[in-house]
């Protein structure tokens, strides 16, 4: 079994630190806008390491980050260090469970909020060498037709950061990969990491988190 890191050794790659940093609404919003390359409404809430209960006989999931904006759109953000699972199938399950948890009885389908699922991976789960893979449901007979179901799935191959043209996005992925802050966003993240490491309450939470 891999030895657990000391709290002081944690980086943005580590699940606990990643979740704490992304709980910062300003950082979370900036990261989402950078990944999506579009402005999003103000973040209304962020849940970290939240378990979404499913039917008692079915599999539950624990999400790293589930953010909601003022228009009720959902953003699930995950950090994946090890290639030990089928990321696309996990995304499918996460999508289904998030949808089931937010759709009230009698809600018109037209009122369902959009959902974006983002996986930062320290490997290439698709294997095509791209730094970013964005998936939307499109018509196979006419790729110009989008299904319009309000779902987007994005897989980010962090180690291919050098292929990213956008300097801000490249800087974010380089920071995640190598811990080198080169942009205003990554400098803000690095400052947040330093502040978290000084918080004795969070240190105890980290110890308790891995003791359970």
């Amino acid at each position: 079994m891999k030895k657990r890191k000391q709290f002081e050794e944690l980086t943005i790659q580590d699940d606990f630190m990643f979740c704490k940093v992304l709980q910062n609404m300003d950082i979370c919003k900036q990261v989402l806008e950078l990944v999506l390359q579009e402005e999003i409404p103000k973040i209304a809430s962020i849940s970290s390491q939240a378990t979404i209960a499913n039917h008692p006989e079915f599999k539950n999931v624990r999400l790293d980050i589930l953010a909601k904006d003022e228009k009720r759109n959902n953003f699930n953000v995950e950090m994946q260090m090890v290639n030990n699972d089928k990321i696309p199938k996990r995304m499918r399950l996460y999508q289904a469970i998030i949808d089931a948890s937010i759709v009230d009885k009698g809600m018109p389908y037209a009122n369902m909020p959009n959902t974006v699922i983002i996986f930062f991976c320290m490997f290439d789960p698709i294997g095509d060498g791209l730094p970013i893979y964005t998936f939307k449901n499109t018509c196979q007979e006419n790729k110009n037709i989008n299904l319009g179901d309000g779902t987007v799935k994005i897989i980010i191959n962090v180690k291919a950061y050098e292929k990213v043209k956008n300097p801000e996005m490249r800087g974010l992925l380089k920071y995640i990969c190598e811990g080198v802050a080169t942009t205003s966003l990554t400098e803000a993240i690095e400052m947040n990491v330093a502040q978290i490491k000084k918080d004795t309450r969070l240190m105890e939470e980290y110890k308790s988190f891995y003791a359970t």
Side-chain angles (χ1 to χ4, degrees), residues 120-198:
F120 286 93
C121 300
M122 297 300 296
F123 51 90
D124 185 354
I126 304 301
D128 200 47
L130 296 176
I132 302 172
Y133 301 89
T134 301
F135 298 94
K136 298 181 180 180
N137 291 323
T138 58
C139 176
Q140 294 302 298
E141 289 75 19
N142 185 344
K143 299 297 176 63
N144 293 319
I145 300 176
N146 192 302
L147 183 60
D149 61 352
T151 66
V152 180
K153 299 176 180 67
I154 301 173
I155 296 175
I156 300 174
N157 171 20
V158 172
K159 290 193 173 182
Y161 69 84
E162 292 182 344
K163 297 181 180 180
V164 178
K165 294 182 179 180
N166 183 302
E168 294 293 321
M169 186 64 178
R170 185 169 63 248
L172 175 62
L173 301 193
K174 181 176 181 178
Y175 175 76
I176 294 174
C177 187
E178 300 178 356
V180 179
T182 58
T183 67
S184 58
L185 173 57
T186 55
E187 287 172 357
I189 292 174
E190 182 69 4
M191 288 179 60
N192 196 249
V193 168
Q195 291 171 353
I196 289 169
K197 288 182 177 181
K198 294 178 181 178

Side-chain angles (χ1 to χ4, degrees), residues 63-150:
L63 307 178
D64 282 351
I65 291 291
L66 182 60
K68 298 177 184 289
D69 68 19
E70 290 183 328
K71 293 186 177 180
R72 298 177 57 247
N73 298 312
N74 297 278
F75 305 90
N76 170 221
V77 189
E78 302 284 324
M79 171 62 74
Q80 188 72 20
M81 288 290 294
V82 182
N83 191 10
N84 59 1
D85 208 347
K86 292 293 185 182
I87 300 299
K89 293 292 181 69
R90 283 183 61 188
M91 295 179 116
R92 173 183 166 185
L93 176 63
Y94 286 16
Q95 178 72 63
I97 290 182
I98 291 171
D99 282 346
S101 71
I102 62 176
V103 178
D104 298 325
K105 185 177 181 180
M107 175 187 285
Y109 291 122
N111 293 346
M112 287 182 64
N114 298 329
T115 299
V116 178
I117 299 178
I118 302 168
F119 269 68
F120 286 93
C121 300
M122 297 300 296
F123 51 90
D124 185 354
I126 304 301
D128 200 47
L130 296 176
I132 302 172
Y133 301 89
T134 301
F135 298 94
K136 298 181 180 180
N137 291 323
T138 58
C139 176
Q140 294 302 298
E141 289 75 19
N142 185 344
K143 299 297 176 63
N144 293 319
I145 300 176
N146 192 302
L147 183 60
D149 61 352

